[in-house]
Amino acid sequence: MRTGLLANPSMFVLGRPGLGKSTVVRRMALGLSGYGVHPLIFGDLKPDYADLIRAIGGQVISLGRGRGNLNVLDPGESLQAATRLTGGARHRLLADIHGRRLHMVSALVTILRSAPPTDREETILSAALNVLDDRHTGRGAPVLGDLVQVIKDAPESVRSVALDRGDITRYRDITENLEASLTALLVDGRLGGTFARPTTEAMKLDRPVCFDISGIDDSEVLLQAAALLSCWSYGFGAVSAAHALADAGLEPQRNYFLVMDELWRVLQAGRGLVDRVNALTRLDRQRGVGLAMITHSIDDLLALPTEEDRTKAKGFVERAGMVICAGLPPAEMPQLSQVVELTEAERRLLVDWSTPPAWDGVSGRRADPPGLGNFLIKVGSRPGIPLHVDLTAAELEVNNTNKRWNK
């Protein structure tokens, strides 16, 4: 950014598992923290980042069944920030809060159904959230159960957008499926009620933060996707609030490095979730805010069910300020070349780095993969910059998720 090489401070990281994608991002997070940039890890599934965040004095928030809750209707510090603002700044922040909560509730419904809510259902949700805010002024953050109650109560403003034509029976028929989906989020079902209870621990914006969701088992695919989306929504909203306060001169300007790992888990959880991710991540491109999105391969994006979703998902890569590639298989090259301009030498390099590890007969164990720690940085059509990451002694303790690095 200082040299003007990047159009925006964002990157997309691709590579086969086990080659060090998380390690190179941890290295960036650690280096940036030394310059006063706060790393924010919006959903750590393994965990890959929790030890690092603790080591640099950050906050680790645990979420999952029996571990902690994140109320998707809780605007966190955003609402408090809005009360400190005036005029257009306050109006814009309140509109942002409303939009993020609407998108988040719609996303949870999408995950449950594997399909997005209808246009009418989204309009009903928007109107119901407005009623909910009026009811809960000065009473703390509402929860999803309160939203369901608003829809059941059928206030006039909600009935109007539902187009029930003055017939309450018609209204009940129109809202039945939406009410059923929201009710399913309240009980210990597939999503465990984790997002329908009061937030266990609020996020702080004056230090690094990691949302640790490693307690969610890999078999709970939908719950993992919902947790990632909820963390992203909550975190991006908090950063927007911090910017609004800084712009008004009420807080110091803070810089953040935002990490969104395992992107593919969310995108493949239901049709239409690409739009949700796109809406949640649209921060103002202000100086000092960096964004990293991480997934295994372009195939993760092209495996989406509709052409529309596939095109939008590829846009995440195309719009990134830079793309960092670890080893990738030969079959990945045609798809990757559609969104990243690669020379023949660069393609061969990435394929060579993807070679599986051999057996070391001397040590009696599997040898390190040839591409372990190797990466290619691409910025636009410029020649790629190959590099190798070696960990310093100080980093070994917070990078022990992969013992092969600890030598």
Side-chain angles (χ1 to χ4, degrees):
M1 291 297 292
R2 286 194 296 267
T3 61
L5 290 176
L6 296 183
N8 66 73
S10 64
M11 68 178 185
F12 205 96
V13 185
L14 297 160
R16 296 187 67 171
L19 295 181
K21 295 189 303 298
S22 296
T23 298
V24 75
V25 175
R26 278 194 298 270
R27 163 62 64 81
M28 291 182 180
L30 179 59
L32 287 168
S33 70
Y35 286 95
V37 178
H38 295 317
L40 302 180
I41 315 302
F42 293 156
D44 190 356
L45 277 165
K46 293 185 180 178
D48 279 331
Y49 304 90
D51 288 345
L52 171 63
I53 297 303
R54 289 191 186 97
I56 58 179
Q59 176 189 24
V60 177
I61 301 172
S62 296
L63 299 175
R65 298 182 194 272
R67 291 164 58 92
N69 305 315
L70 183 60
N71 175 15
V72 295
L73 297 184
D74 183 358
E77 294 190 7
S78 298
L79 194 58
Q80 295 178 13
T83 62
R84 300 173 61 188
L85 298 170
T86 58
R90 181 178 184 180
H91 176 76
R92 286 190 295 272
L93 185 55
L94 289 174
D96 182 74
I97 292 170
H98 178 83
R100 290 184 185 279
R101 291 195 299 177
L102 174 60
H103 279 291
M104 193 57 237
V105 175
S106 297
L108 292 180
V109 171
T110 300
I111 290 173
L112 278 175
R113 298 178 176 178
S114 295
T118 65
D119 292 343
R120 176 183 284 186
E121 287 176 328
E122 287 218 36
T123 305
I124 291 170
L125 282 173
S126 182
L129 284 169
N130 287 329
V131 173
L132 190 61
D133 287 339
D134 292 339
R135 289 186 180 183
H136 279 260
T137 301
R139 293 173 51 193
V143 294
L144 280 175
D146 299 318
L147 181 62
V148 173
Q149 189 59 51
V150 169
I151 294 174
K152 287 181 177 179
D153 291 345
E156 183 56 36
S157 59
V158 179
R159 290 186 61 180
S160 175
V161 299
L163 303 177
D164 69 357
R165 313 301 187 196
D167 184 345
I168 189 63
T169 301
R170 175 179 164 86
Y171 173 82
R172 301 296 181 201
D173 290 340
I174 291 170
T175 60
E176 181 177 6
N177 289 339
L178 178 59
E179 186 180 326
S181 295
L182 294 175
T183 301
L185 297 171
L186 309 182
V187 297
D188 290 328
R190 286 182 292 174
L191 300 189
T194 302
F195 315 106
R197 301 186 180 106
T199 298
T200 306
E201 181 178 355
M203 172 184 170
K204 300 175 182 178
L205 279 169
D206 60 351
R207 65 200 67 186
V209 178
C210 173
F211 288 92
D212 180 3
I213 58 176
S214 60
I216 302 175
D217 191 84
D218 282 344
S219 63
E220 297 191 279
V221 177
L222 296 184
L223 182 56
Q224 283 186 340
L228 286 169
L229 265 174
S230 298
C231 292
W232 298 348
S233 177
Y234 185 86
F236 277 104
V239 171
S240 290
H243 283 325
L245 290 174
D247 291 344
L250 299 174
E251 291 285 343
Q253 178 65 56
R254 296 187 175 98
N255 300 332
Y256 301 100
F257 177 48
L258 318 180
V259 178
M260 299 171 62
D261 209 341
E262 302 287 345
L263 182 66
W264 65 274
R265 293 180 186 268
V266 173
L267 298 183
Q268 295 184 13
R271 178 169 54 86
L273 282 173
V274 176
D275 288 327
R276 305 299 170 193
V277 173
N278 192 45
L280 290 175
T281 58
R282 283 195 177 277
L283 278 176
D284 291 337
R285 291 301 181 190
Q286 300 185 35
R287 190 185 312 170
V289 179
L291 173 63
M293 293 187 284
I294 309 169
T295 192
H296 296 317
S297 71
I298 291 291
D299 279 344
D300 294 335
L301 310 181
L302 300 183
L304 300 175
T306 68
E307 181 60 31
E308 181 182 14
D309 277 355
R310 291 191 290 271
T311 300
K312 291 177 180 177
K314 285 168 59 179
F316 291 148
V317 186
E318 294 167 340
R319 291 193 301 272
M322 64 179 175
V323 177
I324 299 181
C325 298
L328 291 164
E332 182 82 358
M333 292 303 109
Q335 294 91 331
L336 181 60
S337 297
Q338 292 178 19
V339 292
V340 180
E341 189 172 326
L342 295 170
T343 67
E344 183 59 34
E346 289 169 345
R347 286 193 287 268
R348 286 198 305 268
L349 192 63
L350 295 177
V351 171
D352 289 345
W353 288 345
S354 72
T355 304
W359 180 258
D360 187 338
V362 176
S363 65
R365 67 174 183 86
R366 190 179 69 170
D368 290 337
L372 183 63
N374 294 335
F375 303 94
L376 183 71
I377 299 178
K378 289 290 294 185
V379 178
S381 59
R382 297 179 179 89
I385 304 171
L387 64 99
H388 178 77
V389 177
D390 282 316
L391 298 179
T392 65
E395 293 175 283
L396 294 179
E397 186 60 31
V398 296
N399 281 276
N400 60 6
T401 57
N402 187 342
K403 302 298 182 183
R404 290 191 297 275
W405 285 88
N406 298 344
K407 294 183 178 181

